[in-house]
Amino acid sequence: MTIRVLLADDQALLRATFRILIDSCEDMEVVAEAADGSEAVSLARVHRPDLVLMDIRMPGTDGLAATAAICADPDLAGTRVLILTTFEIDEYVAQALRSGASGFLGKDVTADVLLAGVRTVASGDSLLSPVATRTVIARFLAAPARGARLAVPGDLVALTAREREVMAWVAEGHSNEEIAEKLFVSPLTVRTHVHRAMTKLGARDRAQLVVIAYQSGLVQAP
């Protein structure tokens, strides 16, 4: 299947560079380009892309507002948002994750890392830049935000003990393979637990599962 990508960045030269890079891959294509957040939301509703490559800082409607609008639209439930930013560790990133973004990368990443990131997020997994340490992510996700609904411990009542355990390991940044080694099970079993937890909690993807884990108190910020 071809991954359909919408580019949202106010720099035309950067969009052109990303388009050339993405269109050079057989498994993905750019379906539209937006110069600001408002245009990104409009084009997303028209084209319904699999993924939006979103810049945070744009004139007018910024990437944060656009991400929130896209992720809150039930008609765009199949659209993922991957944030691209020059500021990898700051509160903007946490706000984007709270709003439903599936992850983020710095604009200084290599072409191979960017393309791998697009494939990862389009497949339904989350992508947190290695530069964003667990401590920083935990700090911002656990902090209350104006207008944001904090998850509460009661939200986890539907989960089994193993699902909560796996969710905690996910929130601490471990991969399915790493969790499988710790629990002496297969990566496929871990993936099943992750997807069941996501379904029960209404999480769009792995990134939102991390947000819920911290906001519900399942995992404590360092």
Side-chain angles (χ1 to χ4, degrees):
M1 294 180 62
T2 300
I3 301 171
R4 303 171 69 254
V5 180
L6 167 63
L7 301 177
D9 196 297
D10 61 328
Q11 299 182 45
L13 180 58
L14 200 55
R15 293 199 309 273
T17 300
F18 288 149
R19 175 181 279 276
I20 292 172
L21 179 63
I22 291 172
D23 284 345
S24 69
C25 300
E26 294 183 355
D27 62 336
M28 59 183 75
E29 65 174 339
V30 174
V31 295
E33 297 182 26
D36 58 44
S38 178
E39 188 177 13
V41 175
S42 297
L43 290 175
R45 287 170 175 159
V46 171
H47 296 279
R48 300 196 180 186
D50 300 303
L51 181 140
V52 179
L53 203 55
M54 182 83 74
D55 185 25
I56 287 184
R57 301 191 176 185
M58 294 183 287
T61 303
D62 64 16
L64 292 174
T67 296
I70 289 172
C71 294
D73 190 334
D75 291 333
L76 297 176
T79 297
R80 310 293 180 191
V81 177
L82 174 58
I83 299 292
L84 273 178
T85 177
T86 52
F87 302 92
E88 292 190 70
I89 301 178
D90 59 15
E91 190 171 0
Y92 292 112
V93 171
Q95 288 179 27
L97 291 175
R98 288 193 191 105
S99 298
S102 296
F104 64 94
L105 283 173
K107 287 186 176 180
D108 59 348
V109 297
T110 64
D112 288 342
V113 171
L114 174 64
L115 295 175
V118 169
R119 294 185 179 102
T120 296
V121 172
S123 71
D125 287 329
S126 64
L127 184 69
L128 302 182
S129 167
V131 178
T133 64
R134 297 171 190 170
T135 299
V136 175
I137 290 297
R139 170 186 164 198
F140 284 121
L141 292 183
R146 187 189 315 178
R149 184 191 72 84
L150 291 180
V152 297
D155 291 340
L156 307 184
V157 69
L159 302 185
T160 65
R162 180 47 63 91
E163 287 166 356
R164 286 194 294 271
E165 184 179 15
V166 169
M167 183 176 170
W169 285 117
V170 168
E172 292 184 1
H174 296 284
S175 67
N176 288 351
E177 289 70 21
E178 291 171 337
I179 298 171
E181 289 182 5
K182 294 177 182 297
L183 300 181
F184 301 102
V185 298
S186 71
L188 179 59
T189 298
V190 173
R191 185 178 180 85
T192 298
H193 287 310
V194 170
H195 279 275
R196 284 177 179 170
M198 286 167 48
T199 299
K200 291 179 179 179
L201 296 173
R204 286 171 58 93
D205 53 27
R206 199 179 181 100
Q208 282 205 337
L209 202 63
V210 173
V211 175
I212 295 172
Y214 281 107
Q215 293 186 337
S216 68
L218 177 66
V219 177
Q220 298 296 322

